[in-house]
Amino acid sequence: MIKKDVVVGIGEVLWDLLPQGKQIGGAPANFAYHVSQFGLNGCVVSAVGNDTLGLEIIENFKDKGLNCIIERISYPTGTVQVEIDDAGIPKYEITKYVAWDNIPYTAELEALAKNTKAVCFGSLAQRSAVSRNTINRFLDTIPRNEDSLVVFDINFRQDYYDKDIICKSMERCNILKINDEELVELGNMFGYEDIDFQDKCWILLEKYKLKTLILTCGINGSYVFTPGKVYFQATPCVKVEDTVGAGDSFTAAFVSCLLKGKSVEDAHLAAVQTSAFVCSVKGAMPVLPLQYVK
């Protein structure tokens, strides 16, 4: 049975093949899992293969109590080879032609869309026409009102993106999430090379009529731009184990707090604290301490 006011992460779900072993990953899954930890109706939408890796993902989500619509199809379950450098920064080698490239649009998915309060999607899962079409149909179906949140979290991975997909995605969202490196790439794409980073953000906010633009800058803090106001939070100093999934936890905490009625400033602080904690432990889906999810 589809719940009301669901918060959806739609796109890739996969195994991150890390030096210490495999862990479930994919930004939509990370997002939905952390949203659920904040007490909301999180749900991940994706596809896995008819293989052992796919079954393990579904069983893992059941064990975590994470709601999901995961179709099992005749493509292999996605994997990503992840190398972590000395600073804890991951480098990804993403397998092509996998299940999450072929997420089907089903009657169950349409029913979910009609009960969706917020959704987070990225550019990576749109590398395939099949999943891109499913994501766009889902976005077209969700109810749109003053309180609904549509988050586009840019993922510039390898060569799996282009200007047209990025533009259309920004037109569909009302919250844009981007990091400092992605902002440079986006600036180059749009001819904003010589413009100050904050001015780039103001231009994007206005051009795409966004409610919010989130810019994360690693150890250099993060910014939240809203019409007429910008917020800044310093990055907490923690011993970094790895940064896999930290950005997804930031987005999940921020969205969860807004949906709970908290201010942008409070949501920003919660997001910073949550992502710092995720950096301090291994893997993208740790259990969050209770003080973070109140």
Side-chain angles (χ1 to χ4, degrees):
M1 180 179 177
I2 300 296
K3 296 181 179 180
K4 296 288 186 181
D5 295 335
V6 186
V7 183
V8 173
I10 183 170
E12 66 275 12
V13 63
L14 45 85
W15 285 104
D16 284 325
L17 305 180
L18 295 149
Q20 67 268 28
K22 73 179 191 293
Q23 294 181 1
I24 291 179
N30 297 337
F31 171 82
Y33 174 66
H34 289 303
V35 162
S36 296
Q37 292 199 81
F38 276 84
L40 302 178
N41 294 325
C43 181
V44 58
V45 172
S46 191
V48 297
N50 288 307
D51 49 28
T52 300
L53 289 178
L55 179 60
E56 287 179 351
I57 285 177
I58 292 172
E59 292 299 322
N60 187 286
F61 288 164
K62 286 181 181 177
D63 290 343
K64 285 180 165 62
L66 176 58
N67 296 318
C68 60
I69 295 180
I70 306 288
E71 296 294 327
R72 301 196 72 186
I73 60 177
S74 56
Y75 288 85
T77 298
T79 57
V80 178
Q81 190 68 46
V82 184
E83 296 180 3
I84 308 294
D85 67 18
D86 292 339
I89 306 300
K91 179 181 178 182
Y92 304 95
E93 186 64 37
I94 304 168
T95 307
K96 298 180 180 179
Y97 313 120
V98 293
W100 58 260
D101 287 315
N102 296 277
I103 304 168
Y105 192 79
T106 62
E108 185 181 19
L109 195 53
E110 183 163 356
L112 177 69
K114 291 176 180 178
N115 289 281
T116 293
K117 181 75 169 179
V119 59
C120 183
F121 70 104
S123 49
L124 179 57
Q126 296 187 69
R127 69 179 184 177
S128 154
V130 175
S131 290
R132 183 166 63 250
N133 180 62
T134 294
I135 290 169
N136 287 333
R137 289 182 69 182
F138 188 90
L139 297 176
D140 288 344
T141 304
I142 63 175
R144 295 296 186 106
N145 54 54
E146 283 297 314
D147 298 324
S148 61
L149 302 178
V150 180
V151 184
F152 176 43
D153 188 355
I154 290 180
N155 324 101
F156 287 151
R157 299 282 189 259
Q158 295 170 222
D159 59 348
Y160 301 138
Y161 60 93
D162 62 40
K163 184 176 180 180
D164 183 61
I165 289 173
I166 298 301
C167 287
K168 288 180 179 177
S169 296
M170 289 194 293
E171 289 169 356
R172 289 175 177 271
C173 75
N174 55 24
I175 297 178
L176 174 64
K177 163 75 162 36
I178 191 167
N179 67 33
D180 49 352
E181 294 180 353
E182 292 162 345
L183 183 64
V184 171
E185 177 68 20
L186 194 67
N188 295 338
M189 188 183 294
F190 284 87
Y192 301 157
E193 297 94 336
D194 299 325
I195 299 176
D196 172 82
F197 79 94
Q198 290 204 36
D199 287 338
K200 288 177 187 176
C201 293
W202 288 121
I203 289 170
L204 292 169
L205 190 80
E206 172 63 25
K207 181 175 181 178
Y208 292 97
K209 296 179 173 55
L210 303 171
K211 285 184 176 180
T212 309
L213 186 151
I214 300 167
L215 172 66
T216 57
C217 303
I219 62 172
N220 296 314
S222 58
Y223 299 81
V224 174
F225 294 81
T226 61
K229 188 166 185 179
V230 59
Y231 304 83
F232 174 79
Q233 286 283 347
T235 299
C237 183
V238 298
K239 181 181 178 182
V240 175
E241 288 292 338
D242 68 56
T243 62
V244 178
D248 306 323
S249 70
F250 185 112
T251 310
F254 186 84
V255 168
S256 297
C257 288
L258 289 186
L259 291 174
K260 287 181 171 184
K262 295 188 178 181
S263 68
V264 170
E265 191 169 16
D266 287 344
H268 188 188
L269 178 59
V272 166
Q273 292 172 335
T274 300
S275 61
F277 173 79
V278 171
C279 286
S280 73
V281 296
K282 291 185 182 297
M285 295 188 185
V287 176
L288 299 175
L290 288 177
Q291 65 263 33
Y292 293 120
V293 298
K294 291 179 181 178

